[in-house]
Amino acid sequence: MISTTRRLRTLVSGLSSDAHMWNLVYLQLLLEERGHQVSNLGSTTPDAEILRACRTERPDLLVISSVNGHGRLDGLRLIRALRAVPALRGLPVVIGGKLGIDGRDHAGAAAAHLTAAGYDAVFDDAAEGGPDAGLLRFETFLADLADPAGGRSGTRRAAGPGAAA
């Protein structure tokens, strides 16, 4: 059987305030095991560096990961800056991990807010089902993006409880 799945050029990055690296290594290995090409920008990556890499490397997907809980704030700032660049408006961008620091954070509301700001999908560890369920949703998102026959509509997916994917 001939596979119709294409190899995605993917950028993986942490946010400017997040010094955690193992999550990025894990994502890189997961993506590479599925045949995708990965550039890992690392942790504590300034927004300007992420934007530069997106403009120069022209990836098929940008994956943002947060462990420190500031993903909702830092991620919002980043996606607004990224969507302000005309050449990057159509770039699929996802964010996941621990997106809030307050136990009162409402995952569905955070996902809806981040998706409305421009993310194509949000995988919040606080969402229903927890991190394992988020990882499964991420893999489904990847499969849809990499399979031209599967046909992504080109529109952002609706946000809601459990992540906008």
Side-chain angles (χ1 to χ4, degrees):
M1 176 178 242
I2 298 174
S3 173
T4 60
T5 301
R6 68 186 172 113
R7 183 176 187 206
L8 299 174
R9 288 171 290 121
T10 306
L11 282 178
V12 172
S13 183
L15 294 159
S16 60
S17 71
D18 200 320
H20 295 87
M21 187 65 188
W22 285 112
N23 55 316
L24 301 173
V25 171
Y26 177 83
L27 285 168
Q28 179 177 348
L29 293 172
L30 179 119
L31 289 160
E32 288 174 344
E33 285 177 355
R34 281 141 187 83
H36 304 298
Q37 177 185 342
V38 180
S39 292
N40 188 335
L41 300 178
S43 59
T44 61
T45 308
D47 294 357
E49 177 62 20
I50 296 169
L51 292 171
R52 184 207 57 76
C54 288
R55 283 193 298 265
T56 59
E57 295 188 32
R58 316 250 331 132
D60 299 309
L61 174 65
L62 172 61
V63 178
I64 300 296
S65 179
S66 174
V67 173
N68 70 356
H70 297 285
R72 187 168 66 183
L73 298 174
D74 291 347
L76 187 60
R77 183 190 64 243
L78 173 65
I79 197 66
R80 286 178 175 159
L82 191 136
R83 295 300 184 215
V85 177
L88 300 178
R89 286 188 185 139
L91 172 65
V93 182
V94 300
I95 188 169
K98 184 176 179 190
L99 301 178
I101 58 171
D102 186 333
R104 295 172 290 160
D105 286 341
H106 300 285
H113 192 64
L114 288 164
T115 302
Y119 283 97
D120 292 275
V122 177
F123 307 99
D124 190 339
D125 283 357
E128 183 180 331
D132 291 338
L135 186 57
L136 289 173
R137 289 188 298 274
F138 177 62
E139 293 211 48
T140 299
F141 180 90
L142 277 175
D144 288 348
L145 186 61
D147 183 2
R152 278 183 35 102
S153 66
T155 59
R156 290 192 177 83
R157 297 163 184 247

